[in-house]
Each structure stands twice: as structure tokens, then as C-alpha cells.
Amino acid sequence: MIINHNMSAANAHRNMAINTGNASKSMEKLSSGLRINRAGDDAAGLAISEKMRGQINGLDQASRNSQDSISMIQTAEGALNETHSILQRMRTLAVQGSNDTNTSVDRTSIQDEINQLTKEVDRIANTTEFNTKKLLNGDLQGITGAKAGVLDKEATFANGSVKLGAVTNASLATATDVIRINITKDTFTDGSSLSTTGILSTGMFSVSTVLGNVNKAKVFVSGGTNIVISGAASTGSANADITIALTSAQMKALKSGDTITISLQKKEAAQTDSSKQIRAQIGANAGQELGIGIGDMGSTALGIRKTNGDALDLGSQTSSSGAIKLINNAIEKVSTQRSQLGAVQNRLEHTINNLNTSSENLQSSESRIRDVDMAQEMTNYSKNNILTQAAQAMLAQAKSAPEQVLQLLR
């Protein structure tokens, strides 16, 4: 028998320490609910799950970003809803002003309301904000392609319509205006009798423009059957033109009281500054962005303010009638912008659903790696606890074994 080295006690102590450590780890897992509490628990699992956590947090934040973007879009779209209402009222006033039964007092009242409505369109465009960002003043227009100038495919009058030639003048292609050629004399018995002098000098035509972007003095008869618009700005001197090709029969069809109406919309330059565009981060990773552009919704950009800064002039029947087309164009532009915002909002709603689904699936994957199976771990804890108690009992037995040596000393 030996007493210097109690190997039975050492063995029992070693196993008790192991069982105590395992029971402690099981208790830690049970109390935290996590299978991996430190890298030593599962080094590879920790690295994988941490990447998943980064993705989950990113997806959740991207979902919140998308919700913020929807809120911004709803703010802009709500403001444009009011702009639409204003434009509809302006159109109603233009139609009212186009009726020549109005007196000068009536027209003054109409003009006063048009002036105030135009100011309100600008106020909405300049003050609508989301998180202090102005939305409708053109600051967020961002990247857009160049839009060609639009010319009515036909010039219309009471007894028919006439085809228009292409816009070949660069200056004219960047003009927004409505040109009205009023027929003042019912004298077209022979279209070929028209001279090549300016329309104003024939006494047969009265030309007016609504915004003053086209010089009405440059509307003239050419070759007896063509009405030509040359140049755009009131000070321009370009040679190229728009031609209305009129046959003799169409000339004869023009009667006193008819009006040929031509609508021009200026060519819009391309926007290339991406910093002006809202960049919505709609993914967990770099580059997963959505550009949201909102155009300038002010009265000048909508084409309902004259070049001198005044509101549309509804002081006469002719100008009121021409203003209808301009207001129609403005309504169409606002409708297009609202439609685009609505499309982006619908896309973002699908984006949010996708992000939430992806986040949920990743959380499920992370849970399988990081979370502890409580039932299994409770079994392990119970086993380790029993083994610890058994090892403690054996240590007590091993400790008392050397005491038998005392029997030899008696």
C-alpha cells in the first residue's frame, strides 16, 4: 500500500472536474439558449452564423429603408395630388375664359384666381419636404434621358385637320407654346390666290401665342398653300421652320371664325447628375440600390407660366382657349410623374416582402447553428450532474482508502 500518491483519488478528481466543467457548459447553454456562446464551442459555426447575422441585420435595415422610401414617395405623391386638383381647376377656368360671353370684370376675376393658383403650384413645389429634403423643386430629378420636343401631329381647326412638318429648327424645338392662327375673313375661294407676304399683312389671319416663346411675326404664308413658322424666340432669326402643308381644298375649307391650333413642347435636356437622385439602399450588400427621381413640378417646368414670369393670361378668348392645351400638357406631366412614383412604390412593397422573407429564412438558418436544443441539452446536463455527484462520491471513497494503513500501526 502507498500513501504518497493516491491515484484513485486523482482519477476521481480528474473525472469530477471534467463532469463539473461539462455541467457548467450545459448550464450556460441552458441559461442563454445558445449552443455557441464562445468561439471554442464551435469555431466554424460561429464564423458562418456571424456572416448570417450581418445579412439578417442588413436585410432588416434595408426593409426599414424601403419603408422610409415609400413614406417619401407618399409625401411627394400626396403633394402632387393637390397640384393635380389645382391644374384641374385652372383648366376649368381656362374653359370658362374661352367663352366670349364673359365681360372684362369676369375675366379679371378669372385672372386673379389663375394668378393665385399658379403661385400655389410653385409653393407646393418649393416647400414639399421629407426629412428636410425638398422633393418637387427639381433637386431630386437625378438621371433621366433626353426627351425630344413634342409637336402635335396635326393642327386642328373646325372643319378638319392638317398635317405638320417636322421641327427642324433647334431653337423652335426647345420652345413651349401654343400657337393659334385665327381665320378672320371668309375669303378663301381660291387657295392659289394667297400671296407670300406675312399672314398679318393679308388681313385674313390673326396670330397669337400663349406663352410668348414663339414670335408670331414669323408665322407667314409661303407658296400660297403653306403656313410656315420660322424661328422660336421673339428675338430669334433661325431659317428652319415648321410647315403646315395646306391643299387648296383645305384653304377653301377655312372659314371666318376657324382657328388652327398648334402645340409645342420643348425638348428636355438629359440629366446626368446622379447625386441629385434619391439612392435607396434596398439590400443588405453594397450596390443594392434603387434610384428614385422626381422632376421639377413648378409652374415654369410644367409650362403654365409665361416667359416674363407672369401666370397664364386668360384675359381674352383666344389666350384662354390656347391655355387649355398648355394646362392639359401640365396635367399629363404631373400624371406621368405620379404614375412613376406609384410604380416605384409598388416595387418597394414587393421589395419589403422579399427582404422580410429572406431575413426570416436566414434567421431560421442561423437558429439551427447558434440556438441550443433545450431538451437535448437538459439531458446532457442531467447526465453531467449525475456523473459529477458520482465522481464526488468516488473521490470521498478514494480519499479514505489510505487510512487503512493506520491498521498496520496498531
Side-chain angles (χ1 to χ4, degrees), residues 338-354:
R338 290 184 69 183
S339 176
Q340 292 172 348
L341 291 175
V344 174
Q345 179 176 339
N346 289 339
R347 175 181 174 180
L348 286 172
E349 289 173 353
H350 290 294
T351 298
I352 291 171
N353 292 337
N354 178 59

Side-chain angles (χ1 to χ4, degrees), residues 55-113:
Q55 287 293 300
I56 292 168
N57 293 334
L59 289 169
D60 291 342
Q61 184 57 54
S63 177
R64 291 190 290 271
N65 290 349
S66 299
Q67 291 168 348
D68 289 342
S69 298
I70 287 178
S71 297
M72 181 200 71
I73 288 173
Q74 289 175 331
T75 301
E77 201 271 332
L80 290 180
N81 180 56
E82 201 56 40
T83 299
H84 248 156
S85 299
I86 292 172
L87 291 174
Q88 291 291 356
R89 175 56 181 166
M90 292 176 72
R91 190 185 189 284
T92 300
L93 291 172
V95 173
Q96 181 181 0
S98 298
N99 190 16
D100 227 359
T101 60
N102 292 294
T103 65
S104 59
V105 175
D106 298 332
R107 294 194 180 281
T108 298
S109 299
I110 292 172
Q111 188 63 51
D112 288 342
E113 186 171 354

